[in-house]
């Protein structure tokens, strides 16, 4: 069965510090992977996606993610966090059948 | 211009009532979805329509009935509302695998 795991429920970082949010997936074939961000009271916005090719993908707002097949991971990174990055982050997985599976989310708090 | 819009944004109603949430997308996408996000922010897909045809129907009570009058609209009707239906409901659309989400409808059942 396919699944997505975000091991960290809540992460707190200081403004200006680097950030890494973890995501692991379980699937028997080539995954289609996504990171979404949800600001308070808002819908989800796509940050970046991986379908194939270069395993390091760049997204909006200075985020990047690296696909590692050997570790079944798709971790999200940002070199320097801004206070406006405080939000809920969701890793998601999709198949050719179009069914999306979302991780349980990671809440990011940014300290001044 | 709003890409995926939902109405209403907030909905407060009593148990046993019937209510509808509307969703419209102006992106020209073929596929639309309904998701439920509970109080712990867990996001679960409920339904998916492609060109007005139901393609994904997760384990959802049959009190929930989606209707797609055309490719740009996917409405969600809920009968006999229960306390456990309180959640934020998100509509989304896609062409391919990348989804665009609406702002959500916060449903509170009292």
């Amino acid at each position: 069965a396919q699944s997505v795991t975000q091991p960290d429920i809540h992460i707190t970082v200081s403004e200006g510090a680097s950030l890494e949010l973890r995501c692991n997936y379980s699937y028997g074939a080539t995954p289609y992977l996504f990171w979404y961000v949800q600001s308070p009271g808002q819908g989800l916005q796509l940050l970046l996606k991986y379908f194939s090719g270069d395993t390091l993908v760049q997204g909006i707002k200075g985020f990047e993610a690296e696909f590692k097949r050997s570790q079944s991971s798709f971790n999200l990174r940002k070199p320097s966090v801004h206070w406006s990055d405080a939000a809920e982050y969701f890793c998601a997985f999709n198949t050719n059948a179009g069914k999306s599976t979302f991780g349980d989310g990671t809440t990011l708090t940014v300290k001044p | 211009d709003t890409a995926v819009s939902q109405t209403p944004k907030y909905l407060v109603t009593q148990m046993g009532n019937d209510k509808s949430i509307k969703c419209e997308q102006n992106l020209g996408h073929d596929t639309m979805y309904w998701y439920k996000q509970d109080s712990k922010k867990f996001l679960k897909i409920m339904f998916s329509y492609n060109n007005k045809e139901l393609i994904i129907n997760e384990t959802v009570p049959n009190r929930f009935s989606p209707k797609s009058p055309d490719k740009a609209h996917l409405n969600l009707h809920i009968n006999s509302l229960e306390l456990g239906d309180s959640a934020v409901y998100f509509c989304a659309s896609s062409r391919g695998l990348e989804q665009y989400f609406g702002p959500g409808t916060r449903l509170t059942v009292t």
Side-chain angles (χ1 to χ4, degrees), chain B residues 26-100:
Chain B
N26 62 6
L27 299 167
H29 289 165
D30 297 327
T31 306
M32 296 185 71
Y33 311 80
W34 277 109
Y35 287 87
K36 179 180 180 181
Q37 186 175 47
D38 64 20
S39 59
K40 294 184 179 179
K41 298 193 177 179
F42 297 155
L43 197 64
K44 292 291 185 280
I45 189 167
M46 301 173 69
F47 302 103
S48 174
Y49 270 73
N50 183 270
N51 285 320
K52 302 194 316 179
E53 288 191 25
L54 181 67
I55 58 172
I56 292 175
N57 185 351
E58 290 298 288
T59 306
V60 176
N62 57 15
R63 298 182 294 105
F64 290 79
S65 53
K67 285 187 173 50
S68 182
D70 55 59
K71 279 175 38 173
H73 296 84
L74 180 62
N75 303 324
L76 183 65
H77 188 75
I78 315 170
N79 290 327
S80 303
L81 278 155
E82 300 177 357
L83 292 176
D85 297 332
S86 295
V88 180
Y89 292 84
F90 286 100
C91 177
S93 72
S94 72
R95 175 181 288 137
L97 301 175
E98 184 176 324
Q99 296 183 42
Y100 294 79

Side-chain angles (χ1 to χ4, degrees), chain A residues 18-33:
Chain A
S18 63
L19 170 71
E20 182 170 29
L21 301 182
R22 296 183 292 163
C23 173
N24 293 97
Y25 68 90
S26 174
Y27 187 58
T30 302
Y32 302 104
L33 295 161

Side-chain angles (χ1 to χ4, degrees), chain A residues 21-85:
Chain A
L21 301 182
R22 296 183 292 163
C23 173
N24 293 97
Y25 68 90
S26 174
Y27 187 58
T30 302
Y32 302 104
L33 295 161
F34 305 82
W35 274 100
Y36 289 87
V37 60
Q38 183 181 24
S39 297
Q42 304 293 316
L44 279 73
Q45 180 184 23
L46 181 68
L47 284 176
L48 45 78
K49 60 183 183 277
Y50 172 78
F51 288 175
S52 64
D54 192 349
T55 57
L56 184 63
V57 293
Q58 303 297 320
I60 63 171
K61 304 185 180 186
F63 285 92
E64 65 178 27
E66 186 170 13
F67 171 63
K68 293 185 177 180
R69 187 184 300 275
S70 61
Q71 298 177 17
S72 298
S73 68
F74 188 56
N75 294 349
L76 181 71
R77 300 194 295 249
K78 187 170 184 177
S80 177
V81 170
H82 187 262
W83 64 266
S84 60
D85 293 325

Side-chain angles (χ1 to χ4, degrees), chain B residues 12-23:
Chain B
V12 181
T13 188
Q14 292 184 326
M15 286 175 55
N17 285 349
D18 303 338
K19 291 294 180 184
S20 291
I21 307 172
K22 296 186 177 182
C23 177

